[in-house]
Amino acid sequence: MLKATNIHKSFGNKDVLLGLDVSVKEGEITCLIGPSGTGKTTLLRALGGLDMPDQGTLDIDGTLYTFSPTHKDTIPDPWPHITVVFQSLFLWPHLTLRENILLPARNRWDDFKAMETELDGLIASFEMAHFIDQYPNEASLGQRQRVAIARAIMVKPKYILMDEITSSLDIEQVYKILTRLEELKGRGIGILLITHQIGFAKRAADHIVFMDKGETTESGNASILTEPKTKRLKEFLSMVKMAH
Amino acid sequence: MSVLDILLKYYPAFLNGLEVTLQLSSIIWGLGLFLGTLLAVAGTKFKYWIGIPSRCFSFLLSGIPILVFLFWLHYPAQSMLNLVINPFYTAALTLTIVNIFAVADIVRSALIDFPQQYLTAAKVTGLTKKQTIFKIQLPLILRTTLPALLMLQVVMLHTTLFASLISVEEIFRVAQRINAQIYRPVEIYTALGLFFLAVSLPINGFALWLRAHFTRDISET
């Protein structure tokens, strides 16, 4: 299990995370929802080992790392055991989309034939055949999003942290991603998903965390989206409803 | 007497001048590219010891005309140090220094401006340090810098003409000497122009080809 407890993070005088708790279990999808600028991506970077918290504890598969103003444990590089798909995708522009997937994947597969078969499956399932040999600048945002997800899947992670991965996909593609996430869950991969699409969270999540102003305001299973307990989540959901 | 007649009659002299020009250019190009790149990498790694002093020197150098720098190293510096150095080496040293700092400026900018997100992507997908350098950083930096570096080397080739002013027997000085004998400036300097076109245009063309083929829109990737 990937578990963050009482996470604090500041940038200069700006406090972004104020004692936040979140956990990602193997074979489960945790969705992180909340207004923009509330620290969701900061939390994701902390969980992904990219930015260390100022305070709190991180539990990675039973190993506890503690952070305080006077002491910071060093986390051995957790990648690609934990991998991240960013909202801004970060595909390497000088490699074709296929090479973007295969370059890191080759480090993780002993059997290259099996790797190719797995990739072929992903290409078919994400409908990437017609653009997989193009360069990132020749593909649309939606196409690049699918490639970024495929790249993360192909490095055989135990946890995938995803930041707004469905923002540029059409309903059909979102449905396909959902199916794929279910499949990843089935393989025992733990997924943390930041999303603004409440419907998607409702369908995909085993556990939902609603974050506001750097804190966990409410958490629970998908029912918190239909029967919210806190006033702030009720407000947020009604605003989302109005916007749609 | 046509350009061809002059080239046919004086080709041994032109060839000697060409040889000196190419020797000079090879030293300037080779050392400039190697040491300039090294200086940029070291400057980014050791910011306070190498980076800032080298940038200050580069800034100072950018304010001094190359000809003044060359003359200063040829006359006052050697007289102060009580040395007499072959003008070829003085020209090679001066122009190599200029090239080193110009190359370092180009490479340094590419290193500093390197988009960190590509390194983050390399990290989270588990690429090794070696893979990150050789498969991600180096190819991307080469794509950014190579056209500019090639264009710079063409400019450096052109600056070798200054060496004639401190008596280096390079191609321009040879052309001047022949002109003093037969006074055919149009033909002689046309021949010289053709030589520089023959060497510079392929390099410039290659730089443009690289830019057209390998520069990609990386704004949203």
Side-chain angles (χ1 to χ4, degrees), chain A:
Chain A
M1 184 164 67
L2 190 60
K3 189 176 177 188
T5 313
N6 193 29
I7 297 292
H8 289 256
K9 181 80 186 172
S10 307
F11 295 102
N13 293 328
K14 191 173 163 45
D15 296 326
V16 181
L17 301 178
L18 302 158
L20 205 125
D21 301 332
V22 69
S23 61
V24 185
K25 288 182 187 153
E26 292 159 45
E28 277 192 17
I29 299 176
T30 299
C31 275
L32 210 54
I33 59 168
S36 297
T38 198
K40 298 189 294 292
T41 302
T42 306
L43 175 66
L44 180 135
R45 289 184 68 88
L47 279 170
L50 291 163
D51 286 328
M52 290 303 113
D54 297 332
Q55 215 175 306
T57 56
L58 278 180
D59 179 345
I60 303 175
D61 292 329
T63 311
L64 208 63
Y65 301 95
T66 310
F67 305 90
S68 72
T70 52
H71 169 80
K72 280 184 175 55
D73 281 340
T74 308
I75 300 180
D77 291 352
W79 321 291
H81 183 74
I82 301 171
T83 195
V84 185
V85 181
F86 295 95
Q87 190 174 8
S88 306
L89 306 177
F90 303 172
L91 297 176
W92 300 301
H94 61 299
L95 301 179
T96 65
L97 297 169
R98 185 189 294 275
E99 269 304 309
N100 262 277
I101 298 172
L102 286 178
L103 177 63
R106 285 191 194 104
N107 291 345
R108 300 285 291 167
W109 292 74
D110 297 323
D111 183 353
F112 281 9
K113 220 168 186 180
M115 177 184 78
E116 294 282 354
T117 311
E118 174 77 5
L119 179 59
D120 287 344
L122 278 175
I123 290 172
S125 135
F126 285 177
E127 294 173 358
M128 301 191 291
H130 62 293
F131 63 82
I132 193 73
D133 292 309
Q134 291 179 345
Y135 286 93
N137 67 318
E138 296 164 339
S140 71
L141 185 56
Q143 290 171 338
R144 295 202 298 267
Q145 258 178 342
R146 281 177 268 166
V147 171
I149 297 166
R151 180 170 72 177
I153 294 171
M154 287 295 289
V155 295
K156 300 204 268 191
K158 196 164 178 190
Y159 302 99
I160 307 183
L161 316 179
M162 299 173 165
D163 191 356
E164 284 287 339
I165 51 151
T166 54
S167 58
S168 301
L169 301 180
D170 59 36
I171 292 169
E172 218 174 312
Q173 288 301 335
V174 171
Y175 176 76
K176 279 176 185 154
I177 298 282
L178 195 64
T179 316
R180 203 74 205 190
L181 292 184
E182 294 285 343
E183 207 182 299
L184 295 177
K185 254 176 69 174
R187 290 190 207 174
I189 297 173
I191 298 165
L192 179 81
L193 198 64
I194 294 178
T195 184
H196 279 119
Q197 294 180 333
I198 300 301
F200 183 70
K202 214 182 275 181
R203 284 285 314 276
D206 296 293
H207 190 72
I208 293 174
V209 176
F210 173 64
M211 258 180 86
D212 188 34
K213 292 176 186 160
E215 290 174 304
T216 310
T217 305
E218 192 170 338
S219 66
N221 59 24
S223 68
I224 68 164
L225 298 177
T226 44
E227 295 157 24
K229 289 188 179 72
T230 57
K231 191 181 161 206
R232 185 67 190 99
L233 180 55
K234 274 179 200 165
E235 279 171 5
F236 177 74
L237 290 173
S238 67
M239 276 188 274
V240 170
K241 210 171 182 180
M242 272 162 61
H244 286 94

Side-chain angles (χ1 to χ4, degrees), chain B residues 135-187:
Chain B
K135 301 272 186 180
I136 307 297
Q137 261 181 309
L138 209 58
L140 283 171
I141 286 173
L142 273 179
R143 271 156 212 269
T144 327
T145 57
L146 213 51
L149 287 176
L150 286 173
M151 297 277 194
L152 173 67
Q153 299 321 300
V154 170
V155 173
M156 291 314 298
L157 169 74
H158 295 171
T159 60
T160 59
L161 295 189
F162 291 146
S164 69
L165 299 172
I166 57 165
S167 313
V168 177
E169 286 292 320
E170 48 72 72
I171 198 162
F172 185 66
R173 190 169 169 86
V174 169
Q176 277 180 312
R177 270 202 296 104
I178 295 168
N179 189 46
Q181 284 172 33
I182 59 170
Y183 195 66
R184 287 278 185 180
V186 175
E187 290 82 356

